[in-house]
Amino acid sequence: MTPFMNKDFLLKSETARKLYHEHAAKMPIIDYHCHINPMEIYEDRKYNNITEVWLGGDHYKWRAMRSCGVPEYYVTGDASPEEKFQKWAEAMPNLIGNPLYHWTHLELQRYFGITEPLNGKNAMEIYEKCNKILAQPDMTVRGIIRKSNVKLICTTDDPADDLRAHELLAKDPTVPAVVLPAFRPDKAMRADKADFPQYVERLERVVGYPINNVTDMKKALAERIAYFDERGCSVSDHGLDSCFCEIMDDSALDEIFARAKRGEAITQKEQNAYHTALLIAVGKEYYKRGWVLQLHFGCLRDNSAKMFRQLGPDTGYDAVNDAPNGWGLAHLLSVLEDSDALGRTIVYSLNPSDNAMVGSIIGAFQTESALPGQIQQGSAWWFNDNKTGMEEQMRSLMNLGAMGTFNGMLTDSRSFLSYTRHEYFRRILCNLFGQLVEDGEYPADLDSLGQMVENISYYNTLHYFGFDKLIK
C-alpha cells in the first residue's frame, strides 16, 4: 500500500519521480491569474486563525460543505471560527477523490508541517496547531509568498479601479514578488446586466466625461487600458457565458447602448453584438501593447436565485454551461485576427467536452508569429482543476497541439495558501510524462523531458508574458 500523500504522492513511476523531484519541484511560481486582494500583500496581512485564510471567501469549500449537509450558519453565517473549522473538518472524510481533499492536506503539510488526515475528531487539535504557526512572524501574507517561492502575481482588476495598492507595491522594495494588475472589463461589456447603468456612472466618474454611446465606451476603455499599462499591466481577462460573434453597425450598437444605460432590457443577440464590438476595440489596444488576452467561457453563474439574493455572486452556486461554443469561438478569433486584434491569447472552457474543440480551433490561428504557442489552450479551469480534469486537458492538448509550449498552471484563487495547486498540477504533469516513457511512447531522455517539465512549470510562462523583463 502506498503511504498517504507522501513525498511521491501521485508519482507512480521512477521516471515520474525523477521528473518531479529533480525538475518540477525546484521551479518558482508565476501566478498569472488569481483573485487575491493586492492591498493584503501591501499591508502584509496577518491572519488571526486558520478559518480566516481557509474558509473566508473560498466558495469551493463552501460548496463542498453544503454538499455534506452543513447548514449555512456554519458556512457563510455567524458561527464562530472554531465552529466553522470543525464543520469543515467533519466534511473532509466525505470528500474522497475530491481535489479539495488533496489541496487541504498539501496545505497542512507544506505550511503547517501537519501530516495526519484532518477529520472531525482531531479538528480542534489541528486548529490550534495551525493558529500557533500562523502567529509566527514569517506566516504573514508576504511570508507565505516567500515560502511558496512565488516570483510574480497578477491580480484581477476592474477598469474603474484606481490601482492604489499596485502603486504602493511598486514603490516598496521589500515586496517578495512582482505584483501586477490584470484588466477585467466584464462589467463594461455586460449591457444586459441589471447593474449596467450604475457601472457606466462609476466609469464616467473615473474618466471624467459622460459615456453616451459605444464610441464613448471604447474611448473610456482605451484610456483605462493606457492607465493600467503605465502601472505594469500586460494581461487582460474576459469572462464569457459562452462564445459568440455578432456584428452590427454603429447606429444599431448605439441604440442598444442607450436602452441598456436607461436600464431597459436588451435581447441576447443585441448583447452579443455590443460585446463583440467592444472585444474587437479592446483587442486592438491589447495587440498594440503586446498584452495577453485571456478568454474564460462556459459558466452558468448564480443558478440559485434564492441564494444569489441572500449572498450575492461568487458564493458557490455556479455550474458548467453546456452551450455550444465552437462556431462562436472560431468566428470571434477570425474577426479579431482580421481586425489586427489577435495577439497572444489564452482560451479556457469550463466544459471539459470543449477540450478537443478548443485545441483544434486554436491550431487554426497559430499564424504570423515567431512565438511558440501564440494561441494557448488554458489549463484545466475551476470545476476541472482536479486530477481527472487536468489529465484530460493535457491529453487533449497533446493530441491536437504542442504540449511543450504549454503555459501550465495558475491558482485562480482568493487564498494565499492555494499555491500548492501548482505542486498538485506539477505532480500530475510528471506522472503523465512518466507513464508515456514507461509505456515506450516517448524516449527516456530525462534531460530533455526534465527541461520540458521546467518549461511548462515556469519558463514558458516567463517568456510568453514577457515577465523575463521583470524577474531577474
Side-chain angles (χ1 to χ4, degrees), residues 438-471:
E438 298 295 324
D439 291 346
E441 297 182 39
Y442 199 86
D445 181 350
L446 293 186
D447 289 338
S448 296
L449 277 167
Q451 186 61 62
M452 192 183 303
V453 164
E454 292 183 11
N455 290 345
I456 294 169
S457 299
Y458 179 71
Y459 289 114
N460 286 349
T461 300
L462 182 72
H463 300 305
Y464 182 86
F465 288 86
F467 293 151
D468 44 356
K469 303 179 186 70
L470 302 173
I471 300 173

Side-chain angles (χ1 to χ4, degrees), residues 84-348:
K84 289 182 177 181
F85 188 86
Q86 178 68 42
K87 292 299 182 182
W88 171 241
E90 290 173 5
M92 285 302 319
N94 291 317
L95 301 181
I96 182 172
N98 190 305
L100 286 166
Y101 194 88
H102 294 150
W103 296 346
T104 293
H105 289 97
L106 282 174
E107 291 172 25
L108 285 174
Q109 290 181 13
R110 300 297 173 264
Y111 298 109
F112 303 100
I114 296 170
T115 57
E116 60 187 296
L118 175 64
N119 55 54
K121 294 179 181 178
N122 62 14
M124 285 301 98
E125 178 186 350
I126 288 179
Y127 180 80
E128 294 301 333
K129 284 182 180 178
C130 290
N131 290 347
K132 286 180 181 178
I133 291 171
L134 283 172
Q136 296 174 2
D138 64 347
M139 281 298 285
T140 60
V141 160
R142 295 191 185 193
I144 292 168
I145 291 171
R146 289 188 189 94
K147 287 177 182 289
S148 305
N149 197 17
V150 179
K151 298 298 183 184
L152 188 144
I153 298 166
C154 290
T155 61
T156 301
D157 307 272
D158 187 90
D161 291 347
D162 63 11
L163 303 185
R164 175 61 176 159
H166 288 280
E167 292 178 340
L168 292 170
L169 286 163
K171 297 174 183 176
D172 186 347
T174 67
V175 179
V178 178
V179 184
L180 301 175
F183 191 74
R184 180 74 178 248
D186 292 357
K187 291 182 179 179
M189 299 190 170
R190 293 304 302 261
D192 57 334
K193 294 294 187 182
D195 61 353
F196 181 71
Q198 291 74 32
Y199 182 77
V200 174
E201 289 180 6
R202 180 187 174 200
L203 192 56
E204 287 175 333
R205 289 193 295 271
V206 170
V207 297
Y209 52 80
I211 300 174
N212 292 323
N213 51 46
V214 174
T215 299
D216 290 342
M217 179 60 81
K218 291 177 181 178
K219 177 185 175 185
L221 290 176
E223 290 178 5
R224 298 311 292 169
I225 289 169
Y227 181 88
F228 273 58
D229 189 75
E230 290 169 0
R231 286 151 183 82
C233 181
S234 61
V235 184
S236 71
D237 182 46
H238 293 255
L240 315 176
D241 294 342
S242 58
C243 287
F244 49 80
C245 185
E246 188 72 47
I247 305 298
M248 291 187 183
D249 62 33
D250 289 346
S251 61
L253 293 171
D254 285 343
E255 193 270 334
I256 292 166
F257 180 86
R259 283 193 283 118
K261 189 179 179 183
R262 292 194 297 266
E264 299 175 13
I266 62 174
T267 68
Q268 187 63 58
K269 182 175 182 178
E270 289 172 331
Q271 164 58 30
N272 289 349
Y274 170 72
H275 207 153
T276 300
L278 289 189
L279 281 171
I280 294 169
V282 297
K284 290 179 179 179
E285 297 294 327
Y286 303 157
Y287 186 77
K288 271 194 315 189
R289 292 172 169 79
W291 282 22
V292 174
L293 164 65
Q294 295 181 96
L295 294 171
H296 285 87
F297 58 84
C299 182
L300 285 171
R301 297 183 186 274
D302 307 318
N303 293 287
S304 171
K306 172 186 174 182
M307 297 309 293
F308 178 75
R309 289 191 298 270
Q310 182 176 326
L311 298 174
D314 302 322
T315 51
Y317 295 96
D318 304 324
V320 174
N321 192 339
D322 65 351
N325 288 299
W327 186 94
L329 177 62
H331 281 74
L332 178 62
L333 294 180
S334 182
V335 168
L336 290 171
E337 185 179 51
D338 279 343
S339 304
D340 292 328
L342 183 65
R344 289 171 289 171
T345 301
I346 308 176
V347 177
Y348 311 77

Side-chain angles (χ1 to χ4, degrees), residues 32 348 376-380 393-394 405-410 422 425 429 455-458 460-461:
Y32 57 89
Y348 311 77
Q376 288 265 332
Q377 180 175 6
S379 60
Q393 185 270 344
M394 286 190 278
T405 67
F406 182 34
N407 279 336
M409 190 57 174
L410 44 83
H422 285 263
F425 165 82
L429 169 71
N455 290 345
I456 294 169
S457 299
Y458 179 71
N460 286 349
T461 300

Side-chain angles (χ1 to χ4, degrees), residues 366 369-376 405 464:
Q366 307 286 15
S369 174
L371 179 70
Q374 171 177 280
I375 314 297
Q376 288 265 332
T405 67
Y464 182 86

